[in-house]
C-alpha cells in the first residue's frame, strides 16, 4: 500500500511545480509563520525544510537568519525552490529517505507534506533521527476528510456524476487527519511534548483562477480526474463548480475559501 501510494504521488506531481506555485501553494503559505514558530526557527538555527515545494518555508527561514537545507521528492519542485531561494541546499529524496546524518538539525519542519507519503509513521521517525537532542519538529496537515478549499472541485466532480476512479489510492494519512490521531502519530515516533493545534483561515481568490489552478492544471487528484474527462463532462463539472463556489462569494467578485489544517509540534 505504501509503495503503491508513493508511486502514485511521484506520477501525480511530476512536472506540476509551476502550476502548484501559481495556485495551491498560496493557500499553504498561510501556515509558514506558525510552522516556523512551532519549530523554534530563529537566527542561527540549523533547519531542515521537508517537502519544500516552491521554497516558501525555506525563504522565510532564511529571512529569520536560519541556516537552511531542504528536501523535496519532485525534482521540478527542488528547481523551483532553488530559483526562489538562491543558494539553497536542496536535496531530492522521497520520505522516509532523509539524506543527512543523525542529529544534524536544531529544527525540522514540513508544511503539508506528511499527508503525501506512503508511510507517515516511518517518515516522522526519519525526521526525528536527523534532529539533535532537544531539537523541535513541526508538521502541518489538512484536516481529513478535506473540506472547504480542499473539497470544492471534488464536490463538483461528484455532483456531476463522475465516478471516483478505482486506480487512485486513498492517502494512508487519511486516518490521522484529526487532532487526537495526529498527536498519537507524532508521539509514537518518539517525540515528546507533542501538541496539536487546529487552524482555520480563509483564502481569498478569484473563482476562475481557482478553477484553472485547481481543476484544469492537473495539480492533485482532483486535477488528474478532471484531466481524464471529455469536453462535455468537463463542462458539466464546471457548471457544478460554479454553483458550489458561488456560496463563497465576497466583495469585488472574489471568493473566500475556508481552509482547515492541523499544526503539530514536538521535541526530540
Amino acid at each position: 500500500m505504501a509503495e503503491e501510494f508513493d508511486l502514485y504521488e511521484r506520477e501525480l506531481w511530476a512536472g506540476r511545480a509551476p502550476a502548484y506555485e501559481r495556485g495551491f501553494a498560496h493557500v499553504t503559505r498561510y501556515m509558514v509563520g506558525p510552522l516556523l514558530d512551532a519549530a523554534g526557527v530563529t537566527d542561527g538555527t540549523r533547519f531542515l525544510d521537508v517537502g519544500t515545494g516552491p521554497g516558501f518555508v525555506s525563504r522565510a527561514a532564511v529571512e529569520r537568519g536560519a541556516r537552511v537545507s531542504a528536501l523535496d521528492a519532485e525534482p521540478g519542485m527542488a528547481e523551483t525552490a532553488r530559483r526562489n531561494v538562491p543558494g539553497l541546499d536542496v536535496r531530492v529524496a522521497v520520505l522516509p529517505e532523509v539524506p543527512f546524518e543523525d542529529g544534524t538539525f536544531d529544527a525540522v519542519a514540513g508544511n503539508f507534506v506528511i499527508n503525501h507519503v506512503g508511510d507517515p509513521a516511518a517518515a516522522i521517525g526519519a525526521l526525528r533521527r536527523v534532529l539533535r537532542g532537544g531539537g523541535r519538529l513541526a508538521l502541518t496537515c489538512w484536516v481529513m476528510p478535506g473540506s472547504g478549499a480542499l473539497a470544492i472541485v471534488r464536490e463538483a466532480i461528484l455532483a456531476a456524476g463522475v465516478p471516483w476512479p478505482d486506480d487512485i489510492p486513498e492517502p494512508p494519512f487519511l486516518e490521522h487527519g484529526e487532532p487526537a490521531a495526529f498527536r498519537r502519530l507524532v508521539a509514537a515516533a518518539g517525540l515528546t511534548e507533542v501538541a496539536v493545534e487546529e487552524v482555520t483561515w480563509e483564502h481569498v481568490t478569484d473563482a476562475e483562477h481557482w478553477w484553472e489552478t485547481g481543476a484544469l492544471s492537473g495539480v492533485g487528484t482532483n486535477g488528474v480526474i478532471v484531466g481524464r474527462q471529455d469536453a462535455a463532462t468537463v463542462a458539466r463539472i464546471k457548471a457544478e463548480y460554479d454553483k458550489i463556489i458561488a456560496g463563497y462569494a465576497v466583495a469585488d467578485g472574489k471568493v473566500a475559501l475556508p481552509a482547515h489544517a492541523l499544526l503539530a509540534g514536538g521535541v526530540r
Side-chain angles (χ1 to χ4, degrees), residues 35-225:
L35 181 77
L36 293 176
D37 290 344
V41 176
T42 59
D43 187 27
T45 300
R46 185 76 177 91
F47 171 62
L48 177 63
D49 173 20
V50 183
T52 186
F56 296 156
V57 173
S58 288
R59 183 164 61 194
V62 168
E63 290 170 354
R64 292 185 179 207
R67 295 174 292 148
V68 182
S69 295
L71 291 181
D72 204 279
E74 167 54 32
M77 294 288 191
E79 286 300 320
T80 302
R82 290 189 188 100
R83 169 172 51 80
N84 287 332
V85 191
L88 181 65
D89 169 28
V90 188
R91 317 285 178 91
V92 176
V94 178
L95 291 172
E97 179 190 356
V98 182
F100 293 95
E101 297 294 323
D102 294 4
T104 299
F105 298 99
D106 304 313
V108 176
N111 201 27
F112 301 100
V113 66
I114 196 63
N115 42 286
H116 288 286
V117 302
D119 190 339
I124 296 172
L127 299 179
R128 178 187 179 277
R129 176 185 64 79
V130 298
L131 272 173
R132 64 166 176 79
R136 297 195 64 86
L137 173 71
L139 297 168
T140 53
C141 72
W142 298 111
V143 172
M144 298 286 182
S147 59
L150 237 64
I152 290 170
V153 175
R154 179 169 184 165
E155 290 171 6
I157 291 168
L158 296 177
V162 176
W164 204 256
D166 292 335
D167 64 325
I168 292 183
E170 282 196 344
F173 188 81
L174 194 61
E175 64 184 285
H176 304 295
E178 59 91 15
F182 195 23
R183 186 189 181 283
R184 286 194 297 270
L185 178 69
V186 176
L191 280 300
T192 63
E193 302 177 31
V194 179
V196 176
E197 175 187 359
E198 190 162 356
V199 184
T200 297
W201 69 99
E202 287 187 335
H203 178 63
V204 178
T205 186
D206 176 82
E208 290 303 312
H209 177 74
W210 194 248
W211 170 254
E212 189 275 323
T213 57
L216 300 185
S217 63
V219 169
T221 294
N222 293 330
V224 169
I225 295 172

Side-chain angles (χ1 to χ4, degrees), residues 220-240:
T221 294
N222 293 330
V224 169
I225 295 172
V226 173
R228 293 180 178 181
Q229 310 308 313
D230 59 30
T233 304
V234 172
R236 199 164 72 246
I237 297 170
K238 178 59 161 60
E240 296 295 340

Side-chain angles (χ1 to χ4, degrees), residues 6-56:
D6 282 335
L7 179 60
Y8 167 72
E9 283 281 317
R10 301 290 65 73
E11 295 172 348
L12 178 68
W13 290 103
R16 297 292 187 267
Y20 178 75
E21 184 180 16
R22 289 197 311 273
F24 212 83
H26 292 279
V27 183
T28 63
R29 288 181 82 165
Y30 181 90
M31 291 301 297
V32 171
L35 181 77
L36 293 176
D37 290 344
V41 176
T42 59
D43 187 27
T45 300
R46 185 76 177 91
F47 171 62
L48 177 63
D49 173 20
V50 183
T52 186
F56 296 156

